Every structure is written in C-alpha cells, then in structure tokens.
Amino acid sequence: MTEALESGDRVRCTHGGVSMTGTYITDRDGMAVVKLDTGYNIGVSPGAVHLLERPAPQPAATPVVVQNPELPELAIISTGGTIASRVDYRTGAVTSQFSASDILRAIPELGDIARYRSRQLASILSENMRPSIWQELARSIHAEIESGASGVIVTHGTDTMAYSAAAVSFMVKSPVPIVFVGSQRSADRPSSDNAMNALCSAAVATGDLGEVAVVMHDTTSDDRCAVHRATKVRKMHTSRRDAFASIGMPPIGYVDYPSLEVSLSGEAVRRGTHDLELADDLEERCGLLHFVPGMPPEILDTFEGYAGLVLSGTGLGHVRTEWIPRLSELIAGGTTVVMTSQCLHGRVCDRVYDTGRDLLGIGVIEGEDMLPEAALVKLMWVLAREDDPGTVRALMQENLRGEIRRGSR
Amino acid sequence: MEYDYAEIGLKAGIEIHQQLDTAEKLFCRCPTALRDTAEHTDEFSRYLRATESELGEIDRAAQEEMRLVRRFRYYTYDTVCLVEHDEEPPAPLNPEALSVCLTIAKMLAMTPIEQVHTMRKLVIDGSNTSGFQRTALVALNGTLPGDCRVETICLEEEAAQRVEDETFSLDRLGIPLVEITTAPCMHTPGDVQAVARQIGMVLRSTGKVKRGLGTIRQDVNVSIRDGARVEIKGVQELDLIAEVVRREVQRQVGLLGIRDELRARGASVDPAVTDVTDLFAETQSAILKKAKNILAVCLPGFAGLIGREIQPGRRLGSEMADYAKKCGVGGIFHTDELPAYGVTAEEVARLREHLGIGEQDAVVLVAASRQRAGCAAEQVIIRATMALDGVPEETRRMLEGGSTAYMRPLPGAARMYPETDVFPVSIGAGLWESIETPELLTDRAERFHRDLGLDEALARQMAFSERLLLFERAVAEGVRPVLAARTLLGTIRELARDGVGVAAVTDDEVIGLLQAVEAGSAAKEAIPDVLIELARTAGERARQTPEERVAAAIEAVAPAISAADLEAVVRNVVEEREEFVRERGMGALGPLMGVVMKEVRGSVDGKLVAQALKRELERRAS
C-alpha cells in the first residue's frame, strides 16, 4: 500500500480499534510514518494506511523581500551548514537546504542593517568541504567585493569553518570585512543561535573591520558575539553556542546583542587597510598528522610524495625518536615538514630537548604558535607559490595573516 | 448556581499530566531532583523566535507569544547538564520512563503505537530552553469506568518551572511526564472530578509517579452547545476541578448572553483607533498621567455589557484586558467602570463628546508607549469583535478560586515538528507482553482490609500512602499490620509535623525498630522516643548496621529493664502510695499505670506493666 503513497497524501489509518486521519509523511524502517491531525507522528504498519486523497500541490509562496536602498550592500555566500537547514524526510535528519534568500525570510531584522545580494555556492555539510571549494569560495568572495559589496558574509557549517576561514584569509586580501558565520543549534528550532549570529555578522560586515573573521556566540547567553581572527580561531566544543574560541590571543572584537554595537580591538585590521587581491592557488598534496604515543614510523609512508606535512606534535613540538630517520627521508624526498603542537596554546620550540634538536637537524620547520589547521592551509598556499625550500621556510615562519604572533600568551 | 448540564450540552474532557519518578530525565542522564532556587549555580539568558513546521506553517499560539520580544533567564544547577541548557542534542528516550508509560497504558487497556516518534511541540513562552517540548504519542484508545474513554497517552518532558516573570529554573525541565487525554465524554462537573480521581489512582498504583503539589496537573477542556472548546491549563487541586468546570460553563453562558444582547442592539466594533492623549493632559489619574500615549477604541452598542460579570471577579472587560496585556500594557480602562481610578466624570463626558458617541456606546482606553498602546488597542478590537460571535476557542489559565484568564489561542497541529535528534522506538509484541501491571490501589485497600485486618479507613489510607512499599515490607518481615500502619501513618507523620527530622530515619531502621517491638525488646510506647533519637543521631556512627543503630537508640531512651527490676519498681511505686492503694484497692491500677510507665521510661510494654501492677495489688489485697 505504501508504495502507492506520496508525502503529503491525506490518509486514513486504523490502529488499536481507532480510525484516524492524517498526512502521510514517509516510510521509515518499514513503517509508514503518518502525521495525525493532532500533529503527532506515528509509525504504523503500511497495511493499516489507506489513501483518502492526494491534495494538489500548493505553489510555494514567494516572499517579497523589500530592501532599503539607503543601506550598504552585503553579499551573502551560502555554503550550507546549520545556519540554514531543515528536516529531510528521507532520513528524518537535519540537512542544509535553504538558499541565502531563505535566510532573509527567516531573519527579517537583517533588512534593517544592510541590503543583500545572495549567492549559493554549495549546500553541503561542512565535513564534506574540500580545498577546491575553498578556492571557489575565494573566487566568489573576490568577485563580490570587486563588484562593490561593502562586506561579505559566508554561511558555513561549524565543523570545518575555521579551516575555510583560514584558507580564505590567505587567498583573499580584502579592504572590506569577510565574515564567516554558522550556528551550533539548528535553524529549525526557536532557540537556534542562527539569528543572533547572523545579525552580529551583518553588523561586523558593515563595520570597520578589514580582515577575515569568524563571528559566533561568545557565551551561552544571547548577549554577545565574539569576532575571531580567521587564522587564530578553533571550534572547542561539540555542541555549545560558544564553541568557537580565539587561541593564543583575545578575540579581535565583540558585538553586543541585541544592540548590535560592534567594538574592535586595537589589533583588528581596519577597513581599507589592504587592496583587493586574489591568490587562489593551493597545493592540495598536504597533510596534517596528529602524533600519538607509540604511533609507528610506517604511518609516514602514507605521506610519501606529499608536498607538505604538518605534524601536530606533543608539548613543545615532538614526535618519537624512531620517526627521525623516516622523517628525514621524507624531507630529503621533497616534502616540507612543519611542526605544530597539539597543546594548541603556546609556541613550538625544538631547541630544548634532544628529540627536538634532532628534528631541527633533519630540516623540520618550527611552526611558531600557529594552530595546526592554520599551518596546514598556509602550507598549501605557500607551496602553491614557492618551491625554494629557503623561501618556503621563511614564509612559514613569517606572520602573513595574523597566524603568528611575536609574543605568546 | 447549578445548571441543567444536559440542557446546555456540556461536554468536557481532561488531560492529566503526571511526573514520573524515574532515576533519570527523559532525554538526558540527569537526576529528576527538584532543587531550591537559592541553590542555583549560574544563570544565562536567551531569546526565542517562532519557526515554521515541516509543513511550512507557523503555529498561531506561537505567533501570539512572539508579539513581545522577551528575554528569558534560566537558573542552572549542578544537577543539570547541557541538554537542559539546549546546548547538546538529546540522549535516546529513557527506557525506564517508556516502561512506566507502557505500564499505565496497559492498565488503561490501551493499544501501543508500533513505532513511537518523538515530536517537538512548539512552546515559546520561555518554559523550554529549546522553544519546544519533546513529546511522543505512545498508546491509543483506553477504557475508563462508565462510558468514558482515554484517547491517548503521551510521554513528554516536563517544562522548566517559572521562578518569576521571565525567569525559569532548569531543575524541573526534562523530568518525564505522561499526558493522558480523555475523550470529551463527561457531561457534568462531578463526572470530570470523578474521572480525574480515577486516573490519578491508576497512576499512583504504579508506584513510579512523583507525589506532592505540582507533580500532577489537570487541564480541562470544556464546551457547551453554541459555545466553544476552551482548554483550562494547570488545575493542580483535584477538589477544584468541578468548580473550574462550573465556572467555565457560567462564563460561556454569560458570553452567549452578551452576544445575543449585542446582536439585538445591533452593536459593532469601530476599527478606527483615536489618539486622545491631549484630552487627558490635565488628568489626575496616575496611570493616564504617566502614559506617553492614550488611545481610544469605540464600541457602539457595548455600554453596560463590558462591565457585566461572567465569572466571579471576571467581566467581558477582563477578557479584553487579558488580550491587551499580551502587548505589555498593565490593563485597560472602559467606560462601564468610569469614572474611577482618578478619571473624573467630566473627563469621561469630554471623551464621549470628542468621540461623538452616545449612551449605548462604550469606549476602551489603553495607555502606554505608542507601540504598546497601538498593539493593545488592536487586541481590544480583536477581542471585542469575538464578543459578537460568542465564545472564542482559547487556552486559559486558572486563577485562584477557579475562575480563568486568557493565555493564548488553542494551538494547532502546526506546532508539532519531528524531533530529528531522537530515533523512533519500536514497541514490539515482546516488549508489550513483558510489561507487568500492578495491583490497583483500590484493590489493594480492599485486600488490606480483608486479609490484614486493617479497618476500612486505615486500609485505604495505607494503600494510597507514599509509605505503602515500606508497609508491605514491614508486614512481610513479621510486623503486625496494624502496628506497622499506625506507626507509618500516625506516629511518623505526627513527629514530622512537630518538626522532628524523621525523614532522615532510614527504612531499614524503621523496620528494625518495629521488629524490636514485636520481639519484646522495646515497648510500643517507646516508638516515638526511639524515632526521635534515631532522627537526632542520623548520619552519626555510619559504620553501624541499622540493627545496631536501633539497639543503641532503644538503649539510650529506654534502658532494658529485667522482670526483677520491674517488680522492684512496681513494689516501690505501690509502697510510696500505700494510703491511696488502700483506699482504691484494685481501682488504683489505672492511675498507677502512668506512674510506673514514666519510671521505666517506656522500656517495658504496657501490658507487662499492667500485669505486674495487678499482681502486686492482688498480693497486697490478699
């Protein structure tokens, strides 16, 4: 019987001696899921469900979004993620589906801050991101700024948002703010953090910032967003609203909510500091390896032929002594190896202990106080532009986009 | 006044919400413990906004709540986790709670749903951090005595407790709750109360429901012919249910009467709102004086009806005020109650003249900021228009005494959205058959009377008591039923009432004490003192067994007295009162009982004392 049913059909189902009407939703684990007229969904045997009528499909209402021509124009580039998601009847799970204009419809207050043009670059969960999409994203952002956007908002799933933001900050030099934003609690719930994060990001994108940033909740309350530098931010919690944290430095600004007042720190790069510039080449043959005690040297065979490898080492920047010969071969074979620390906080220093000195001896580059992920995308970007090992080393140890700081905290 | 309910076509149904006494909450592993709000460890604040259902609609009740942008504050505790904070996805549905829910369903002869889906019921009044309450329909179609029927049983999470205004306490959020909905099968206020009582009894028979005020709440659905379905939320006292129904009938009858009269007069609602701020520039009314804007709504033909009482303490004007309050104003003024509140007769006359209206017409005033006053005037117009149609469908909340006030429109199906983070649960035949149904408390009371020799009142009191399980254990362990029942229901309760911390005395200690009495090592009369001693020393000497603690307590309050010692005490007492004994003979036994009992400080059973006294008196008489 269910094969004949389609989502939205009016049906009658009989169960427990009662006959009820409802709407057929989907098939789940061999059960017919029916939304009863009370709003409850139940799963019943397919044989108990009978078609009453198939309503004619209702054309979706096309909302008229009235934009205020007096306001600055922002570009919203959506890549997916929970800032724009709704339930999928196929799996019953939340997937990203809304376009950028749906975001405007869901958060009308955005219209008081700016005008918007929107572009849907992708509609993917952020774990499905890859360097080629980072590049497309960089080109889209560049194009939007070139055609006059006074700021860019990128909606992104939170899992890999920090990678994308860091990648864009190397590929695009911008006179205007480029703001990454997402939500930790899905947009289909009344308590979602999507609206506040989006409003804060619009406030930042129309403000005085001149670099790539991530704007997300600063606390569990709906009281303030933090503005994080793209190369110094990390997702530090699986689910909390305030999952994002600046590592090794304070946030470069805050946005109060609901006043949407933006305050930037002295360190934040200001609007107009840089000219627009696109450098979108990336060397994709780069990897990041998290060392754990006892990890065999053979694991390094995987990276044979890679142009670059970032190690996330222990403490000051160590891997086991038995790795030295194999690492040495990799480097001799042309792989650039950069050491970072799984401590995340603090600077790598391979001059203190023997293993560290040995690592330096074979040509491992100390990654200063770079986050492992930021070091990875930086290495991709540097290796796409330079092949001279000396220049590569110098660039990896030079602060290009705020990823390295002179002093540690 | 009592109506002919059949004549006016009363139909009523109830929804009973009962908290379950499970170890953990419904969608997280936190305990189901209620806390003192003073113990909160932190607080945070959030805003909520209405979202569309999966069918693309926004629920009307949710939309109503959205009228005001409100910031909600939440108290959190060390017994609460990120799930209650809406900072973590829910854990799987608690199997213990499902099992209790299925037990209740089986007791009501319901049919379980094959595959249970957890839904999100949109509630954006702040009582849920997520903006929805998770709920699942578990079983259908049960029976009740008479021709009444249970329609559904749902397993839900409890909402957060409101501390004040827009502040909520998270300890209660997520406690499992069953919601039992009956058909509209009751036709008198008395029926409703009886059905509520019956369901409450079934729930308590499981031994797995929470007890005490607020742990069970009844919502009552009432309609009369030509009236409308009205849902009254949160009736906590069972004894008030009939009164609530009676008063709702009175309200609907009253509103229908007003409708008829409005129609007869050709009354209408003027959709235009007039700004009359300037008219009150010199007013002495404190409220009007401080308001930035005063707006007037004209209601031609409404005079006298806005002030007509429709429930004790409630008028049509109160209903309009309830609607207006949704916009954040404190209330309204209407001409049926003016002059009053500092508004003079001259001001009213000037108002009427300015608006060009007659004696049959009424005016409603709202005073607030421009935005709030505008919103409130709009609400007054909406409610006044409804009065022309009779009774609006509404969700209402109970006021003290049983009258009600408007809360929000009846929610529709659009407020239900699937909870995508919780997998559906299948209820197979195996699970259903494994559910055992407990004995009904009413049957149990009968058994206690029949088999255990408790009188009917005591048997019923024991069966319905929270100490039922302890009673059954005591009896199983050889304590006489009457002694156990009297101690548990009488002595312990009286001590608690006198401020003794008997709650700290463990079940094992209570049983140990009762067994000691049965074994003759303590007198029945010593029970209160030993309990006081056990309460006083609770937590001390933690390494002692309950038996050791009971023995120590008996020793402390009533040192053991041998038969020889008793004889000596009795002889002393009698000798000291030789004259009295001579005068009264065997009649001295009664008065001397008390004296001896005091001497032995309750260490000896009264019966033994009486025997010893009797022997001594007989010896002397002979």
Side-chain angles (χ1 to χ4, degrees), chain B residues 399-419:
Chain B
L399 304 172
E400 209 173 320
S403 291
T404 57
Y406 170 72
M407 257 176 102
R408 52 176 182 249
L410 280 187
R415 72 164 167 172
M416 297 288 251
Y417 187 97
E419 171 49 273

Side-chain angles (χ1 to χ4, degrees), chain B residues 360-424:
Chain B
Q360 280 258 309
D361 307 330
V363 182
V364 174
L365 295 179
V366 289
S369 67
R370 176 170 296 283
Q371 198 199 349
R372 287 189 173 187
C375 168
E378 205 60 45
Q379 288 294 97
V380 168
I381 289 171
I382 289 172
R383 184 60 188 87
T385 309
M386 290 173 175
L388 299 171
D389 290 330
V391 187
E393 285 197 340
E394 283 169 353
T395 303
R396 301 179 65 82
R397 67 189 163 87
M398 201 189 81
L399 304 172
E400 209 173 320
S403 291
T404 57
Y406 170 72
M407 257 176 102
R408 52 176 182 249
L410 280 187
R415 72 164 167 172
M416 297 288 251
Y417 187 97
E419 171 49 273
T420 48
D421 300 339
V422 176
F423 287 162

Side-chain angles (χ1 to χ4, degrees), chain A residues 203-264:
Chain A
V204 173
T206 51
D208 196 30
L209 192 72
E211 61 177 308
V212 185
V214 166
V215 173
M216 292 288 286
H217 263 65
D218 184 45
T219 70
T220 189
S221 289
D222 290 344
D223 56 0
R224 186 161 91 151
C225 279
V227 184
H228 303 281
R229 174 162 286 161
T231 49
K232 278 294 188 196
V233 67
R234 206 162 186 286
K235 184 176 182 177
M236 298 299 283
H237 197 280
T238 59
S239 59
R240 283 176 62 123
R241 287 164 173 74
D242 54 357
F244 282 81
S246 287
I247 306 289
M249 70 180 293
I252 53 173
Y254 293 100
V255 188
D256 278 327
Y257 187 83
S259 74
L260 297 181
E261 218 164 278
V262 181
S263 52
L264 297 178

Side-chain angles (χ1 to χ4, degrees), chain B residues 59 78 110 163 253 272 275-276 339 351 429 445 487 494 504 509 523-524 526 535 562:
Chain B
D59 180 57
D78 53 9
M110 303 182 78
V163 180
V253 169
D275 190 326
V276 294
L351 176 69
T487 304
E494 282 152 22
E509 288 166 1
K524 194 165 83 226
S562 68

